[in-house]
Amino acid sequence: MSPSLAAAAASAASEGGSGNDCAARDLVPTSGMPRRAVLGTPGDVAMDVRLRNRSGIGCALDGWPGVAFIGGEALTRECVPSYPGPQCLGRIDTTTRRPLSVTRYGPGHPTAVRLAPGQITSFSLVWHSATATACNGADFYTPPYAADIWVPGDSAPLVLAPVSISPCYGKIGITPFGVTG
């Protein structure tokens, strides 16, 4: 990702200000399986993203994460019809930023989440499922290869892969740190 694109995405994360903000190097991201969402509209799906403090000191996360979705689309290859070898199986894009729209869900002024060493907090990605009846005929997005996640005040992303989302209309909701949807 270009430095200007990374800076823009990092600035999309809310400003911290807790005095000992968590940095990307302090956190390990993991994700759960998609489930029925609590926030959003009936039929929405959510996936919780967990962040574990792997550092030896406590730190805090305040606001919303920044997120950009990467790759996942199949790359086309030309193959010789008489020799459909392994090179013809195709590849998945792992580098192109996906044009998914991200909207903030949850409280207008979230509370800072303090993480002791080893402690975990979560936030959620919420979307209208591409398999929902309301999505029939809408733009369908295959799951991205990965997500770059930024925490406030840090331009280095955390990389979460795989990302099991397939929203219709290319729209994703995101909750603040410490709130699951």
Side-chain angles (χ1 to χ4, degrees):
M1 181 173 288
S2 73
S4 62
L5 189 55
S11 70
S14 298
E15 292 302 317
S18 64
N20 191 24
D21 294 339
C22 296
R25 70 180 173 276
D26 300 330
L27 303 168
V28 176
T30 57
S31 64
M33 294 300 295
R35 60 173 173 75
R36 184 177 304 222
V38 176
L39 295 176
T41 59
D44 280 359
V45 179
M47 182 183 77
D48 298 334
V49 176
R50 295 176 298 279
L51 301 174
R52 182 179 55 84
N53 180 0
R54 70 172 164 192
S55 75
I57 60 171
C59 62
L61 293 167
D62 192 7
W64 279 266
V67 64
F69 298 96
I70 310 298
E73 297 287 333
L75 298 174
T76 58
R77 291 192 102 157
E78 289 190 29
C79 297
V80 178
S82 62
Y83 181 72
Q87 76 277 11
C88 296
L89 296 177
R91 299 177 302 141
I92 299 295
D93 176 8
T94 60
T95 59
T96 306
R97 186 171 181 194
R98 299 283 295 276
L100 298 175
S101 171
V102 179
T103 302
R104 292 178 174 178
Y105 282 11
H109 299 285
T111 304
V113 176
R114 301 201 181 285
L115 296 175
Q119 191 173 13
I120 296 171
T121 190
S122 298
F123 67 90
S124 295
L125 300 174
V126 180
W127 68 94
H128 201 68
S129 174
T131 60
T133 304
C135 195
N136 287 342
D139 292 335
F140 172 76
Y141 284 80
T142 57
Y145 172 76
D148 283 345
I149 300 166
W150 286 269
V151 297
D154 193 343
S155 62
L158 293 160
V159 178
L160 178 66
V163 182
S164 301
I165 63 170
S166 50
C168 68
Y169 303 108
K171 296 179 181 177
I172 304 282
I174 193 166
T175 63
F177 298 113
V179 175
T180 56

